[in-house]
PDB file of all heavy atoms in Angstrom:
ATOM      1  N   ILE A 196      96.309  90.951  79.408  1.00  0.00           N
ATOM      2  CA  ILE A 196      96.720  90.592  78.015  1.00  0.00           C
ATOM      3  C   ILE A 196      98.206  91.045  77.802  1.00  0.00           C
ATOM      4  O   ILE A 196      99.014  90.398  77.095  1.00  0.00           O
ATOM      5  CB  ILE A 196      95.865  91.415  77.037  1.00  0.00           C
ATOM      6  CG1 ILE A 196      94.404  90.806  77.025  1.00  0.00           C
ATOM      7  CG2 ILE A 196      96.405  91.264  75.615  1.00  0.00           C
ATOM      8  CD1 ILE A 196      93.427  91.496  76.115  1.00  0.00           C
ATOM      9  N   SER A 197      98.662  92.081  78.553  1.00  0.00           N
ATOM     10  CA  SER A 197     100.001  92.562  78.416  1.00  0.00           C
ATOM     11  C   SER A 197     101.012  91.447  78.724  1.00  0.00           C
ATOM     12  O   SER A 197     102.073  91.471  78.240  1.00  0.00           O
ATOM     13  CB  SER A 197     100.242  93.790  79.297  1.00  0.00           C
ATOM     14  OG  SER A 197      99.980  93.432  80.677  1.00  0.00           O
ATOM     15  N   LYS A 198     100.657  90.500  79.633  1.00  0.00           N
ATOM     16  CA  LYS A 198     101.560  89.389  79.964  1.00  0.00           C
ATOM     17  C   LYS A 198     101.722  88.448  78.783  1.00  0.00           C
ATOM     18  O   LYS A 198     102.680  87.669  78.738  1.00  0.00           O
ATOM     19  CB  LYS A 198     101.052  88.604  81.207  1.00  0.00           C
ATOM     20  CG  LYS A 198     101.142  89.480  82.458  1.00  0.00           C
ATOM     21  CD  LYS A 198     100.755  88.635  83.726  1.00  0.00           C
ATOM     22  CE  LYS A 198     101.010  89.378  84.967  1.00  0.00           C
ATOM     23  NZ  LYS A 198     100.721  88.567  86.159  1.00  0.00           N
ATOM     24  N   GLU A 199     100.737  88.413  77.904  1.00  0.00           N
ATOM     25  CA  GLU A 199     100.790  87.475  76.780  1.00  0.00           C
ATOM     26  C   GLU A 199     101.458  88.095  75.554  1.00  0.00           C
ATOM     27  O   GLU A 199     101.611  87.452  74.532  1.00  0.00           O
ATOM     28  CB  GLU A 199      99.384  87.035  76.425  1.00  0.00           C
ATOM     29  CG  GLU A 199      98.563  86.361  77.557  1.00  0.00           C
ATOM     30  CD  GLU A 199      99.017  84.958  77.763  1.00  0.00           C
ATOM     31  OE1 GLU A 199      99.777  84.423  76.906  1.00  0.00           O
ATOM     32  OE2 GLU A 199      98.530  84.346  78.699  1.00  0.00           O
ATOM     33  N   GLU A 200     101.743  89.350  75.589  1.00  0.00           N
ATOM     34  CA  GLU A 200     102.273  90.083  74.358  1.00  0.00           C
ATOM     35  C   GLU A 200     103.523  89.389  73.860  1.00  0.00           C
ATOM     36  O   GLU A 200     104.465  89.263  74.569  1.00  0.00           O
ATOM     37  CB  GLU A 200     102.620  91.544  74.719  1.00  0.00           C
ATOM     38  CG  GLU A 200     101.365  92.394  74.883  1.00  0.00           C
ATOM     39  CD  GLU A 200     101.854  93.860  75.190  1.00  0.00           C
ATOM     40  OE1 GLU A 200     102.340  94.050  76.311  1.00  0.00           O
ATOM     41  OE2 GLU A 200     101.723  94.644  74.282  1.00  0.00           O
ATOM     42  N   PRO A 201     103.593  89.034  72.594  1.00  0.00           N
ATOM     43  CA  PRO A 201     104.764  88.404  72.012  1.00  0.00           C
ATOM     44  C   PRO A 201     105.806  89.434  71.612  1.00  0.00           C
ATOM     45  O   PRO A 201     106.145  89.603  70.412  1.00  0.00           O
ATOM     46  CB  PRO A 201     104.190  87.592  70.814  1.00  0.00           C
ATOM     47  CG  PRO A 201     103.098  88.491  70.342  1.00  0.00           C
ATOM     48  CD  PRO A 201     102.478  89.097  71.695  1.00  0.00           C
ATOM     49  N   VAL A 202     106.322  90.172  72.526  1.00  0.00           N
ATOM     50  CA  VAL A 202     107.351  91.212  72.263  1.00  0.00           C
ATOM     51  C   VAL A 202     108.488  91.115  73.224  1.00  0.00           C
ATOM     52  O   VAL A 202     108.326  90.663  74.369  1.00  0.00           O
ATOM     53  CB  VAL A 202     106.683  92.645  72.390  1.00  0.00           C
ATOM     54  CG1 VAL A 202     105.770  92.893  71.189  1.00  0.00           C
ATOM     55  CG2 VAL A 202     105.969  92.890  73.652  1.00  0.00           C
ATOM     56  N   ASN A 203     109.570  91.515  72.764  1.00  0.00           N
ATOM     57  CA  ASN A 203     110.781  91.492  73.512  1.00  0.00           C
ATOM     58  C   ASN A 203     110.644  92.422  74.782  1.00  0.00           C
ATOM     59  O   ASN A 203     109.943  93.438  74.699  1.00  0.00           O
ATOM     60  CB  ASN A 203     111.954  92.028  72.752  1.00  0.00           C
ATOM     61  CG  ASN A 203     113.321  91.852  73.347  1.00  0.00           C
ATOM     62  OD1 ASN A 203     113.681  92.659  74.128  1.00  0.00           O
ATOM     63  ND2 ASN A 203     114.046  90.798  73.010  1.00  0.00           N
ATOM     64  N   ARG A 204     111.289  92.057  75.816  1.00  0.00           N
ATOM     65  CA  ARG A 204     111.219  92.820  77.125  1.00  0.00           C
ATOM     66  C   ARG A 204     111.664  94.281  76.901  1.00  0.00           C
ATOM     67  O   ARG A 204     110.998  95.159  77.497  1.00  0.00           O
ATOM     68  CB  ARG A 204     112.080  92.208  78.184  1.00  0.00           C
ATOM     69  CG  ARG A 204     112.061  92.889  79.512  1.00  0.00           C
ATOM     70  CD  ARG A 204     112.824  92.109  80.573  1.00  0.00           C
ATOM     71  NE  ARG A 204     112.888  92.877  81.788  1.00  0.00           N
ATOM     72  CZ  ARG A 204     113.922  93.758  82.094  1.00  0.00           C
ATOM     73  NH1 ARG A 204     114.861  93.864  81.250  1.00  0.00           N
ATOM     74  NH2 ARG A 204     113.894  94.403  83.248  1.00  0.00           N
ATOM     75  N   GLN A 205     112.604  94.456  75.997  1.00  0.00           N
ATOM     76  CA  GLN A 205     112.937  95.916  75.741  1.00  0.00           C
ATOM     77  C   GLN A 205     111.815  96.706  75.170  1.00  0.00           C
ATOM     78  O   GLN A 205     111.681  97.906  75.445  1.00  0.00           O
ATOM     79  CB  GLN A 205     114.226  95.897  74.763  1.00  0.00           C
ATOM     80  CG  GLN A 205     115.499  95.858  75.499  1.00  0.00           C
ATOM     81  CD  GLN A 205     115.873  97.121  76.254  1.00  0.00           C
ATOM     82  OE1 GLN A 205     115.524  98.276  75.799  1.00  0.00           O
ATOM     83  NE2 GLN A 205     116.549  96.950  77.389  1.00  0.00           N
ATOM     84  N   TYR A 206     111.019  96.104  74.421  1.00  0.00           N
ATOM     85  CA  TYR A 206     109.881  96.813  73.802  1.00  0.00           C
ATOM     86  C   TYR A 206     108.961  97.332  74.950  1.00  0.00           C
ATOM     87  O   TYR A 206     108.510  98.564  74.903  1.00  0.00           O
ATOM     88  CB  TYR A 206     108.999  95.819  72.974  1.00  0.00           C
ATOM     89  CG  TYR A 206     107.759  96.462  72.366  1.00  0.00           C
ATOM     90  CD1 TYR A 206     107.740  97.106  71.151  1.00  0.00           C
ATOM     91  CD2 TYR A 206     106.557  96.359  73.063  1.00  0.00           C
ATOM     92  CE1 TYR A 206     106.641  97.696  70.618  1.00  0.00           C
ATOM     93  CE2 TYR A 206     105.367  96.917  72.528  1.00  0.00           C
ATOM     94  CZ  TYR A 206     105.461  97.611  71.280  1.00  0.00           C
ATOM     95  OH  TYR A 206     104.301  98.148  70.834  1.00  0.00           O
ATOM     96  N   LYS A 207     108.688  96.478  75.939  1.00  0.00           N
ATOM     97  CA  LYS A 207     107.808  96.876  77.051  1.00  0.00           C
ATOM     98  C   LYS A 207     108.483  97.997  77.842  1.00  0.00           C
ATOM     99  O   LYS A 207     107.815  98.930  78.316  1.00  0.00           O
ATOM    100  CB  LYS A 207     107.474  95.759  77.904  1.00  0.00           C
ATOM    101  CG  LYS A 207     106.712  94.584  77.175  1.00  0.00           C
ATOM    102  CD  LYS A 207     106.372  93.479  78.178  1.00  0.00           C
ATOM    103  CE  LYS A 207     105.572  92.357  77.372  1.00  0.00           C
ATOM    104  NZ  LYS A 207     105.243  91.192  78.255  1.00  0.00           N
ATOM    105  N   LEU A 208     109.790  97.884  78.047  1.00  0.00           N
ATOM    106  CA  LEU A 208     110.523  98.952  78.819  1.00  0.00           C
ATOM    107  C   LEU A 208     110.473 100.260  78.089  1.00  0.00           C
ATOM    108  O   LEU A 208     110.259 101.274  78.737  1.00  0.00           O
ATOM    109  CB  LEU A 208     112.000  98.446  78.966  1.00  0.00           C
ATOM    110  CG  LEU A 208     112.226  97.318  79.936  1.00  0.00           C
ATOM    111  CD1 LEU A 208     113.716  96.880  79.876  1.00  0.00           C
ATOM    112  CD2 LEU A 208     111.799  97.583  81.323  1.00  0.00           C
ATOM    113  N   LEU A 209     110.587 100.263  76.718  1.00  0.00           N
ATOM    114  CA  LEU A 209     110.564 101.530  76.000  1.00  0.00           C
ATOM    115  C   LEU A 209     109.126 102.077  75.997  1.00  0.00           C
ATOM    116  O   LEU A 209     108.940 103.261  76.071  1.00  0.00           O
ATOM    117  CB  LEU A 209     111.039 101.262  74.563  1.00  0.00           C
ATOM    118  CG  LEU A 209     112.482 101.018  74.353  1.00  0.00           C
ATOM    119  CD1 LEU A 209     112.891 101.114  72.862  1.00  0.00           C
ATOM    120  CD2 LEU A 209     113.405 102.001  75.112  1.00  0.00           C
ATOM    121  N   ARG A 210     108.186 101.204  75.981  1.00  0.00           N
ATOM    122  CA  ARG A 210     106.789 101.719  76.007  1.00  0.00           C
ATOM    123  C   ARG A 210     106.534 102.332  77.368  1.00  0.00           C
ATOM    124  O   ARG A 210     105.829 103.370  77.400  1.00  0.00           O
ATOM    125  CB  ARG A 210     105.805 100.550  75.763  1.00  0.00           C
ATOM    126  CG  ARG A 210     104.332 100.935  75.686  1.00  0.00           C
ATOM    127  CD  ARG A 210     103.495  99.812  75.270  1.00  0.00           C
ATOM    128  NE  ARG A 210     103.579  98.628  76.343  1.00  0.00           N
ATOM    129  CZ  ARG A 210     103.121  97.429  76.098  1.00  0.00           C
ATOM    130  NH1 ARG A 210     102.562  97.131  74.973  1.00  0.00           N
ATOM    131  NH2 ARG A 210     103.299  96.529  76.983  1.00  0.00           N
ATOM    132  N   ASP A 211     107.015 101.760  78.464  1.00  0.00           N
ATOM    133  CA  ASP A 211     106.968 102.470  79.758  1.00  0.00           C
ATOM    134  C   ASP A 211     107.553 103.800  79.690  1.00  0.00           C
ATOM    135  O   ASP A 211     106.984 104.805  80.262  1.00  0.00           O
ATOM    136  CB  ASP A 211     107.541 101.558  80.825  1.00  0.00           C
ATOM    137  CG  ASP A 211     106.744 100.309  81.105  1.00  0.00           C
ATOM    138  OD1 ASP A 211     105.533 100.208  80.714  1.00  0.00           O
ATOM    139  OD2 ASP A 211     107.289  99.425  81.741  1.00  0.00           O
ATOM    140  N   GLU A 212     108.720 103.930  79.130  1.00  0.00           N
ATOM    141  CA  GLU A 212     109.416 105.213  79.052  1.00  0.00           C
ATOM    142  C   GLU A 212     108.635 106.252  78.143  1.00  0.00           C
ATOM    143  O   GLU A 212     108.591 107.414  78.385  1.00  0.00           O
ATOM    144  CB  GLU A 212     110.832 104.989  78.494  1.00  0.00           C
ATOM    145  CG  GLU A 212     111.749 104.127  79.446  1.00  0.00           C
ATOM    146  CD  GLU A 212     112.031 104.848  80.773  1.00  0.00           C
ATOM    147  OE1 GLU A 212     111.943 106.111  80.870  1.00  0.00           O
ATOM    148  OE2 GLU A 212     112.250 104.119  81.756  1.00  0.00           O
ATOM    149  N   LEU A 213     108.044 105.732  77.082  1.00  0.00           N
ATOM    150  CA  LEU A 213     107.200 106.550  76.265  1.00  0.00           C
ATOM    151  C   LEU A 213     106.063 107.171  77.008  1.00  0.00           C
ATOM    152  O   LEU A 213     105.761 108.341  76.958  1.00  0.00           O
ATOM    153  CB  LEU A 213     106.769 105.731  75.041  1.00  0.00           C
ATOM    154  CG  LEU A 213     105.874 106.509  74.029  1.00  0.00           C
ATOM    155  CD1 LEU A 213     106.774 107.537  73.318  1.00  0.00           C
ATOM    156  CD2 LEU A 213     105.342 105.497  72.962  1.00  0.00           C
ATOM    157  N   GLN A 214     105.408 106.285  77.891  1.00  0.00           N
ATOM    158  CA  GLN A 214     104.338 106.842  78.665  1.00  0.00           C
ATOM    159  C   GLN A 214     104.822 107.871  79.662  1.00  0.00           C
ATOM    160  O   GLN A 214     104.098 108.837  79.949  1.00  0.00           O
ATOM    161  CB  GLN A 214     103.678 105.682  79.391  1.00  0.00           C
ATOM    162  CG  GLN A 214     102.940 104.713  78.462  1.00  0.00           C
ATOM    163  CD  GLN A 214     102.435 103.456  79.167  1.00  0.00           C
ATOM    164  OE1 GLN A 214     102.765 103.159  80.348  1.00  0.00           O
ATOM    165  NE2 GLN A 214     101.842 102.568  78.511  1.00  0.00           N
ATOM    166  N   LYS A 215     106.017 107.723  80.251  1.00  0.00           N
ATOM    167  CA  LYS A 215     106.551 108.733  81.131  1.00  0.00           C
ATOM    168  C   LYS A 215     106.801 110.068  80.377  1.00  0.00           C
ATOM    169  O   LYS A 215     106.487 111.163  80.902  1.00  0.00           O
ATOM    170  CB  LYS A 215     107.888 108.261  81.724  1.00  0.00           C
ATOM    171  CG  LYS A 215     107.726 107.013  82.683  1.00  0.00           C
ATOM    172  CD  LYS A 215     109.110 106.598  83.127  1.00  0.00           C
ATOM    173  CE  LYS A 215     109.031 105.353  83.950  1.00  0.00           C
ATOM    174  NZ  LYS A 215     110.449 104.797  84.395  1.00  0.00           N
ATOM    175  N   LEU A 216     107.357 110.009  79.224  1.00  0.00           N
ATOM    176  CA  LEU A 216     107.634 111.247  78.419  1.00  0.00           C
ATOM    177  C   LEU A 216     106.246 111.907  78.104  1.00  0.00           C
ATOM    178  O   LEU A 216     106.144 113.131  78.072  1.00  0.00           O
ATOM    179  CB  LEU A 216     108.434 110.988  77.206  1.00  0.00           C
ATOM    180  CG  LEU A 216     109.958 110.589  77.479  1.00  0.00           C
ATOM    181  CD1 LEU A 216     110.638 110.337  76.123  1.00  0.00           C
ATOM    182  CD2 LEU A 216     110.629 111.707  78.199  1.00  0.00           C
ATOM    183  N   ALA A 217     105.331 111.031  77.619  1.00  0.00           N
ATOM    184  CA  ALA A 217     103.970 111.577  77.316  1.00  0.00           C
ATOM    185  C   ALA A 217     103.342 112.370  78.490  1.00  0.00           C
ATOM    186  O   ALA A 217     102.692 113.387  78.281  1.00  0.00           O
ATOM    187  CB  ALA A 217     103.087 110.456  76.827  1.00  0.00           C
ATOM    188  N   LEU A 218     103.556 111.802  79.681  1.00  0.00           N
ATOM    189  CA  LEU A 218     102.986 112.444  80.960  1.00  0.00           C
ATOM    190  C   LEU A 218     103.656 113.779  81.168  1.00  0.00           C
ATOM    191  O   LEU A 218     102.978 114.779  81.444  1.00  0.00           O
ATOM    192  CB  LEU A 218     103.210 111.489  82.111  1.00  0.00           C
ATOM    193  CG  LEU A 218     102.735 112.057  83.428  1.00  0.00           C
ATOM    194  CD1 LEU A 218     101.143 112.274  83.382  1.00  0.00           C
ATOM    195  CD2 LEU A 218     103.009 111.059  84.558  1.00  0.00           C
ATOM    196  N   ILE A 219     104.990 113.824  80.936  1.00  0.00           N
ATOM    197  CA  ILE A 219     105.671 115.169  81.042  1.00  0.00           C
ATOM    198  C   ILE A 219     105.179 116.162  80.056  1.00  0.00           C
ATOM    199  O   ILE A 219     104.948 117.247  80.410  1.00  0.00           O
ATOM    200  CB  ILE A 219     107.289 114.886  80.948  1.00  0.00           C
ATOM    201  CG1 ILE A 219     107.764 114.103  82.043  1.00  0.00           C
ATOM    202  CG2 ILE A 219     107.880 116.285  80.953  1.00  0.00           C
ATOM    203  CD1 ILE A 219     109.166 113.658  81.885  1.00  0.00           C
ATOM    204  N   VAL A 220     105.034 115.696  78.798  1.00  0.00           N
ATOM    205  CA  VAL A 220     104.576 116.572  77.749  1.00  0.00           C
ATOM    206  C   VAL A 220     103.187 117.102  78.029  1.00  0.00           C
ATOM    207  O   VAL A 220     102.875 118.295  77.741  1.00  0.00           O
ATOM    208  CB  VAL A 220     104.619 115.852  76.337  1.00  0.00           C
ATOM    209  CG1 VAL A 220     103.930 116.667  75.269  1.00  0.00           C
ATOM    210  CG2 VAL A 220     106.089 115.572  75.905  1.00  0.00           C
ATOM    211  N   SER A 221     102.370 116.264  78.603  1.00  0.00           N
ATOM    212  CA  SER A 221     100.965 116.655  78.901  1.00  0.00           C
ATOM    213  C   SER A 221     100.920 117.843  79.920  1.00  0.00           C
ATOM    214  O   SER A 221      99.939 118.612  79.916  1.00  0.00           O
ATOM    215  CB  SER A 221     100.172 115.503  79.419  1.00  0.00           C
ATOM    216  OG  SER A 221     100.623 115.142  80.728  1.00  0.00           O
ATOM    217  N   LYS A 222     102.011 117.985  80.689  1.00  0.00           N
ATOM    218  CA  LYS A 222     102.066 119.093  81.654  1.00  0.00           C
ATOM    219  C   LYS A 222     102.591 120.433  80.994  1.00  0.00           C
ATOM    220  O   LYS A 222     102.686 121.447  81.673  1.00  0.00           O
ATOM    221  CB  LYS A 222     102.946 118.761  82.827  1.00  0.00           C
ATOM    222  CG  LYS A 222     102.347 117.510  83.577  1.00  0.00           C
ATOM    223  CD  LYS A 222     103.364 117.116  84.705  1.00  0.00           C
ATOM    224  CE  LYS A 222     102.826 115.877  85.435  1.00  0.00           C
ATOM    225  NZ  LYS A 222     103.720 115.393  86.493  1.00  0.00           N
ATOM    226  N   LYS A 223     102.951 120.323  79.751  1.00  0.00           N
ATOM    227  CA  LYS A 223     103.394 121.492  78.964  1.00  0.00           C
ATOM    228  C   LYS A 223     104.492 122.318  79.676  1.00  0.00           C
ATOM    229  O   LYS A 223     104.326 123.509  79.870  1.00  0.00           O
ATOM    230  CB  LYS A 223     102.210 122.338  78.593  1.00  0.00           C
ATOM    231  CG  LYS A 223     101.224 121.645  77.771  1.00  0.00           C
ATOM    232  CD  LYS A 223     100.062 122.465  77.351  1.00  0.00           C
ATOM    233  CE  LYS A 223      99.033 121.750  76.490  1.00  0.00           C
ATOM    234  NZ  LYS A 223      97.894 122.553  76.079  1.00  0.00           N
ATOM    235  N   PRO A 224     105.530 121.671  80.037  1.00  0.00           N
ATOM    236  CA  PRO A 224     106.649 122.456  80.677  1.00  0.00           C
ATOM    237  C   PRO A 224     107.346 123.394  79.730  1.00  0.00           C
ATOM    238  O   PRO A 224     107.367 123.123  78.531  1.00  0.00           O
ATOM    239  CB  PRO A 224     107.659 121.341  81.171  1.00  0.00           C
ATOM    240  CG  PRO A 224     107.436 120.332  80.174  1.00  0.00           C
ATOM    241  CD  PRO A 224     105.979 120.278  79.770  1.00  0.00           C
ATOM    242  N   ALA A 225     107.875 124.451  80.210  1.00  0.00           N
ATOM    243  CA  ALA A 225     108.546 125.421  79.365  1.00  0.00           C
ATOM    244  C   ALA A 225     109.863 124.702  78.905  1.00  0.00           C
ATOM    245  O   ALA A 225     110.551 124.006  79.648  1.00  0.00           O
ATOM    246  CB  ALA A 225     109.029 126.700  80.182  1.00  0.00           C
ATOM    247  N   TRP A 226     110.186 124.814  77.565  1.00  0.00           N
ATOM    248  CA  TRP A 226     111.295 124.038  77.011  1.00  0.00           C
ATOM    249  C   TRP A 226     112.021 124.958  76.037  1.00  0.00           C
ATOM    250  O   TRP A 226     112.264 124.577  74.879  1.00  0.00           O
ATOM    251  CB  TRP A 226     110.919 122.788  76.355  1.00  0.00           C
ATOM    252  CG  TRP A 226     111.808 121.648  76.497  1.00  0.00           C
ATOM    253  CD1 TRP A 226     112.841 121.277  75.605  1.00  0.00           C
ATOM    254  CD2 TRP A 226     111.929 120.764  77.598  1.00  0.00           C
ATOM    255  NE1 TRP A 226     113.558 120.261  76.139  1.00  0.00           N
ATOM    256  CE2 TRP A 226     113.018 119.848  77.363  1.00  0.00           C
ATOM    257  CE3 TRP A 226     111.204 120.601  78.804  1.00  0.00           C
ATOM    258  CZ2 TRP A 226     113.357 118.793  78.213  1.00  0.00           C
ATOM    259  CZ3 TRP A 226     111.573 119.581  79.658  1.00  0.00           C
ATOM    260  CH2 TRP A 226     112.608 118.736  79.385  1.00  0.00           C
ATOM    261  N   ASP A 227     112.401 126.148  76.438  1.00  0.00           N
ATOM    262  CA  ASP A 227     113.022 127.067  75.594  1.00  0.00           C
ATOM    263  C   ASP A 227     114.494 126.668  75.305  1.00  0.00           C
ATOM    264  O   ASP A 227     115.057 125.918  76.046  1.00  0.00           O
ATOM    265  CB  ASP A 227     113.082 128.505  76.253  1.00  0.00           C
ATOM    266  CG  ASP A 227     111.657 129.045  76.515  1.00  0.00           C
ATOM    267  OD1 ASP A 227     110.855 128.754  75.691  1.00  0.00           O
ATOM    268  OD2 ASP A 227     111.543 129.762  77.531  1.00  0.00           O
ATOM    269  N   SER A 228     115.010 127.185  74.184  1.00  0.00           N
ATOM    270  CA  SER A 228     116.419 126.807  73.785  1.00  0.00           C
ATOM    271  C   SER A 228     117.377 127.528  74.700  1.00  0.00           C
ATOM    272  O   SER A 228     117.276 128.659  75.049  1.00  0.00           O
ATOM    273  CB  SER A 228     116.656 127.243  72.352  1.00  0.00           C
ATOM    274  OG  SER A 228     117.959 126.886  71.961  1.00  0.00           O
TER     275      SER A 228
END
């Protein structure tokens, strides 16, 4: 279905990046100031 999505290619690229950040967050890395 993802091949049929009527969205700009940039949308899909940003969604991929969002998934990457979500994966990092799920590992709960230390992020002190």
